[in-house]
Amino acid sequence: AQKVTQAQTEISVVEKEDVTLDCVYETRDTTYYLFWYKQPPSGELVFLIRRNSFDEQNEISGRYSWNFQKSTSSFNFTITASQVVDSAVYFCALLTTDSWGKLQFGAGTQVVVTP
Amino acid sequence: GAGVSQSPRYKVAKRGQDVALRCDPISGHVSLFWYQQALGQGPEFLTYFQNEAQLDKSGLPSDRFFAERPEGSVSTLKIQRTQQEDSAVYLCASSTRTGQGLDEQYFGPGTRLTVT
């Protein structure tokens, strides 16, 4: 069975602090994809990043960075120097190759950035 | 249009009424997905279309839920005899995927359904 766990319900930070969001996943498949989506108050889910199970290379893109570790089944996401506009709910999601595109989402982490 | 659009954005229905929710995917996108998002939860898969074919409807919670995409573009999610537990945000997503569904999905703003 597939499962995605985001243990942090809410994280509150002051602007310019770093924020790290945890994501732990479960799957028996050897080929899978992991995603992070952002959901601002407007409600629309915004795609941030996709990683496949064969690519553990971590990446930095502007103020965002990702840490994918298969050994611990974790796919953590960090926002560096947070800004008020980063306030949103962030979802981690899992996709396996036999699931016909069915994304399995975690429960989400609410990030609140205050000035 | 540049993105996925959904209408209406908000819908209030009395229990027992039928509702129809519309999704316009990104032009040319082959795949279309419906998700249901309860308050404070992550989206949960309802159904998937590849062009006009409904390939997976395993997430539809009951036979009161029905989805169609007759011409392979616009899709409608219909809920008959609405009940209070149907209250949620219904999200539509599309992707270019033609193979194993590995492309990122682009989401619409959702329709917030409230059943009173």
Side-chain angles (χ1 to χ4, degrees), chain B residues 16-33:
Chain B
Q17 284 185 332
D18 298 347
V19 298
L21 313 179
R22 176 187 169 105
C23 172
D24 282 87
I26 293 172
S27 178
H29 275 195
V30 170
S31 297
L32 186 146
F33 305 83

Side-chain angles (χ1 to χ4, degrees), chain A residues 19-81:
Chain A
V19 180
T20 295
L21 308 179
D22 298 334
C23 173
V24 174
Y25 61 92
E26 294 176 30
T27 180
R28 294 193 194 122
D29 295 301
T30 57
T31 302
Y32 52 88
Y33 287 73
L34 294 162
F35 299 78
W36 277 97
Y37 279 86
K38 173 183 178 180
Q39 189 173 43
S42 61
E44 188 167 333
L45 279 162
V46 177
F47 165 75
L48 296 178
I49 188 173
R50 176 186 65 188
R51 272 290 175 269
N52 71 54
S53 51
F54 299 108
D55 180 8
E56 286 192 75
Q57 183 177 1
N58 295 314
E59 182 176 318
I60 297 175
S61 176
R63 295 186 299 107
Y64 297 160
S65 62
W66 295 268
N67 186 346
F68 176 29
Q69 293 191 353
K70 284 180 73 173
S71 60
T72 56
S73 297
S74 66
F75 185 50
N76 298 337
F77 171 62
T78 297
I79 305 171
T80 302

Side-chain angles (χ1 to χ4, degrees), chain B residues 43-55:
Chain B
E44 292 195 359
F45 170 83
L46 292 177
T47 187
Y48 160 61
F49 289 87
Q50 186 169 324
N51 295 307
E52 68 277 3
Q54 189 174 20
L55 298 185

Side-chain angles (χ1 to χ4, degrees), chain A residues 44-47, chain B residues 1-7 9 22-29 31-32 69 73-75 92-95 104-110:
Chain A
E44 188 167 333
L45 279 162
V46 177
F47 165 75
Chain B
V4 178
S5 61
Q6 293 185 245
S7 62
R9 290 293 314 276
R22 176 187 169 105
C23 172
D24 282 87
I26 293 172
S27 178
H29 275 195
S31 297
L32 186 146
R69 194 186 185 196
S73 56
V74 171
S75 177
C92 176
S94 70
S95 76
E104 56 267 28
Q105 296 176 22
Y106 294 91
F107 283 80

Side-chain angles (χ1 to χ4, degrees), chain B:
Chain B
V4 178
S5 61
Q6 293 185 245
S7 62
R9 290 293 314 276
Y10 304 91
K11 177 70 178 177
V12 178
K14 291 185 177 179
R15 191 173 60 180
Q17 284 185 332
D18 298 347
V19 298
L21 313 179
R22 176 187 169 105
C23 172
D24 282 87
I26 293 172
S27 178
H29 275 195
V30 170
S31 297
L32 186 146
F33 305 83
W34 284 98
Y35 291 85
Q36 180 189 58
Q37 186 175 20
L39 187 64
Q41 300 296 319
E44 292 195 359
F45 170 83
L46 292 177
T47 187
Y48 160 61
F49 289 87
Q50 186 169 324
N51 295 307
E52 68 277 3
Q54 189 174 20
L55 298 185
D56 188 345
K57 54 181 180 179
S58 62
L60 296 176
S62 77
D63 58 8
R64 296 186 296 103
F65 286 71
F66 172 76
E68 60 183 5
R69 194 186 185 196
E71 297 178 359
S73 56
V74 171
S75 177
T76 303
L77 176 67
K78 298 178 180 178
I79 308 173
Q80 297 177 324
R81 304 180 304 282
T82 53
Q83 299 179 7
Q84 285 192 317
E85 59 262 32
D86 300 335
S87 296
V89 175
Y90 291 86
L91 295 165
C92 176
S94 70
S95 76
T96 57
R97 166 219 172 169
T98 55
Q100 292 182 298
L102 307 177
D103 302 323
E104 56 267 28
Q105 296 176 22
Y106 294 91
F107 283 80
T111 295
R112 182 178 296 277
L113 173 65
T114 303
V115 181
T116 61

